[in-house]
């Protein structure tokens, strides 16, 4: 029984190319039993690699979860994000949302708690990469973020539930600095952010410098996958502007934030559904794409 969030997301991310070169199935859709015949140990192998990586560094669960999001939002869930630059390929690792920020690639070269679900499998690897602007930025407006989700077939419920990923992992100072210093430069913070919390953040996220300093996204339970992300938002202690707007810019999303803050079970239930939906963004199936021998390079 699958019970690790990091395991699930890695399953979602990979077409298992490094583990199995034995997949000859033709299928036009993803399903959980995809590897049962062709590579029955696939889940076990992935689980053991991910468990070791997360035991060594708890943040790795968060970093892998984010890799899956950033892969799916660019050309679909096809491991395009894993390709290094070479020949005609400009690696997605160099694009703004990923540079100095996306991490965890080495786990793919080789937590317990949280929701669990059957992951539909059978994604194949892309033959190219694409640097584009589909991934929402932390300073985007609520409307822009929602539009970017809708373009991928995800709705407002998916947006609020998947943002709950920010219950684990870290952010660099550069991703939220603007909230700490207003434009007149008098040192006051964004009025939507709890002032005491903002003052604490300013000590390690100065007006200039310290760009790479790390801050936990959920300051109450930073490495536990739970609904404190939503509880923090209600206390005006959501770290990113894109988190805060879920509560302040739209009534429907605000109601969802309140619901998930009250009911962890409803959050987990929806999170699982939305992860499956995100993992279904235009995957390559059947004989499309390929199964890379090395995740970082297309087969030549
Ligand atoms: C709604 C729009 C979203 C925006 C604007 C956004 C933005 C960000 C930013 C700016 C960071 C910090 C990056 C850094 O400073 O290095 C971050 C971290 C993270 N995001 Fe999001 N995100 C969004 C949605 C999502 C979704 C849908 C997922 C997964 C399903 C996700 C998973 C994560 C995780 C797990 C981390 C921590 C990664 C780590 O510690 O390495 N985010 N996000």
């Amino acid at each position: 029984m699958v019970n690790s969030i990091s395991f699930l997301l890695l399953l979602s991310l990979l077409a298992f190319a490094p583990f199995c070169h034995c997949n000859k199935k033709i299928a036009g859709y993803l399903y959980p039993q995809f590897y049962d015949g062709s590579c029955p140990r696939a889940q076990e192998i992935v689980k053991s690699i991910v468990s070791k990586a997360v035991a060594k560094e708890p943040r790795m669960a968060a970093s892998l979860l984010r890799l899956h999001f950033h892969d799916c939002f660019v050309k679909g869930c096809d491991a395009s994000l894993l390709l290094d630059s070479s020949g005609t390929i400009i690696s997605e690792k160099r694009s703004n949302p990923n540079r100095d920020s996306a991490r965890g690639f080495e786990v793919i070269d080789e937590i317990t708690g949280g929701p669990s679900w059957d992951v539909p499998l059978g994604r194949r690897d892309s033959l190219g990469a694409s640097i584009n602007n589909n991934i929402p930025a932390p300073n985007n407006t609520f409307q822009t973020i929602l539009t970017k989700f809708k373009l991928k077939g995800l709705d407002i419920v998916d947006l609020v539930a998947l943002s709950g990923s920010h219950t684990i992992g870290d952010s660099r100072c550069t991703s939220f600095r603007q909230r700490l210093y207003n434009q007149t430069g008098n040192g006051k913070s964004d009025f939507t952010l709890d002032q005491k919390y903002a003052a604490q953040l300013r000590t390690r996220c100065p007006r200039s410098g310290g760009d790479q300093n790390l801050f936990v996204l959920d300051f109450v339970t930073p490495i536990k996958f739970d609904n404190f992300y939503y509880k923090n938002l209600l206390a005006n202690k959501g770290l990113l502007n894109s988190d805060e707007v879920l509560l302040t810019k739209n009534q429907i999303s605000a109601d969802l934030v309140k619901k998930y803050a009250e009911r962890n079970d409803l959050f987990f239930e929806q999170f699982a559904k939305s992860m499956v939906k995100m993992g279904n963004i235009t995957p390559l199936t059947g004989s499309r794409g390929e199964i890379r021998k090395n995740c970082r390079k297309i087969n030549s």
Side-chain angles (χ1 to χ4, degrees):
M1 179 63 189
V2 173
N3 62 6
S4 152
I5 179 120
S6 46
F7 168 50
L8 292 166
L9 61 93
L10 193 60
L11 278 184
S12 309
L13 188 63
L14 291 178
F16 293 118
F19 307 101
C20 268
H21 304 294
C22 48
N23 169 25
K24 297 229 167 39
K25 284 195 186 174
I26 306 288
Y29 57 94
L30 311 176
Y31 54 99
Q33 301 78 16
F34 187 85
Y35 292 103
D36 284 3
S38 60
C39 191
R41 289 190 56 232
Q43 307 208 6
E44 196 190 306
I45 295 167
V46 175
K47 186 171 188 179
S48 114
I49 293 173
V50 174
S51 305
K52 274 187 207 139
V54 174
K56 214 164 111 196
E57 188 201 8
R59 186 185 172 197
M60 195 48 77
S63 303
L64 293 173
L65 175 55
R66 186 165 183 247
L67 279 192
H68 183 41
F69 166 46
H70 283 205
D71 180 43
C72 289
F73 264 57
V74 180
K75 288 175 77 256
C77 314
D78 60 1
S80 55
L81 174 58
L82 304 183
L83 289 170
D84 288 337
S85 293
S86 72
T88 54
I89 289 171
I90 304 173
S91 176
E92 291 170 20
K93 295 172 188 175
R94 288 199 201 168
S95 73
N96 268 339
N98 296 325
R99 200 177 49 247
D100 297 328
S101 172
R103 59 197 293 281
F105 297 102
E106 67 283 2
V107 175
I108 294 161
D109 288 345
E110 205 178 352
I111 256 175
T112 55
S116 69
W117 62 96
D118 280 342
V119 179
L121 299 173
R123 277 174 212 88
R124 289 164 60 91
D125 300 327
S126 74
L127 300 171
S130 159
I131 297 195
N132 72 18
N133 239 347
N134 290 342
I135 299 174
N139 57 352
N140 282 162
T141 62
F142 175 84
Q143 206 43 55
T144 302
I145 294 172
L146 182 59
T147 303
K148 287 182 171 174
F149 270 65
K150 285 193 170 160
L151 283 172
K152 300 291 167 193
L154 301 176
D155 59 25
I156 194 165
V157 178
D158 300 313
L159 168 61
V160 178
L162 290 174
S163 294
S165 297
H166 294 169
T167 174
I168 51 173
D170 297 347
S171 166
R172 293 161 304 155
C173 153
T174 185
S175 299
F176 61 87
R177 169 184 284 124
Q178 79 217 22
R179 302 192 70 196
L180 306 182
Y181 305 97
N182 74 5
Q183 290 178 335
T184 56
N186 64 5
K188 286 208 186 120
S189 71
D190 184 335
F191 69 93
T192 54
L193 194 58
D194 176 87
Q195 291 301 303
K196 263 196 185 156
Y197 184 50
Q200 272 172 19
L201 295 172
R202 277 195 290 266
T203 62
R204 280 202 310 116
C205 187
R207 202 179 288 273
S208 70
D211 285 12
Q212 310 296 324
N213 288 352
L214 289 178
F215 296 77
V216 290
L217 284 158
D218 166 1
F219 77 102
V220 181
T221 52
I223 58 168
K224 189 162 178 240
F225 200 99
D226 58 17
N227 64 343
F228 265 94
Y229 165 78
Y230 301 103
K231 294 183 183 175
N232 295 341
L233 279 183
L234 293 178
N236 298 324
K237 291 176 182 172
L239 191 59
L240 306 177
N241 191 59
S242 51
D243 297 323
E244 186 262 325
V245 294
L246 299 179
L247 182 66
T248 54
K249 300 293 184 218
N250 180 285
Q251 194 53 51
I252 298 171
S253 70
D255 288 345
L256 288 164
V257 167
K258 288 174 201 152
K259 178 162 108 176
Y260 298 146
E262 262 171 39
R263 296 276 306 269
N264 197 51
D265 57 329
L266 297 183
F267 164 45
F268 279 14
E269 198 180 300
Q270 185 56 49
F271 185 80
K273 283 188 195 152
S274 297
M275 281 295 284
V276 171
K277 226 170 136 184
M278 185 173 86
N280 270 319
I281 301 175
T282 56
L284 296 171
T285 55
S287 55
R288 293 188 302 146
E290 65 178 10
I291 300 172
R292 280 183 221 139
K293 294 202 167 73
N294 173 341
C295 296
R296 294 172 184 262
K297 291 187 205 155
I298 51 171
N299 301 339
S300 45

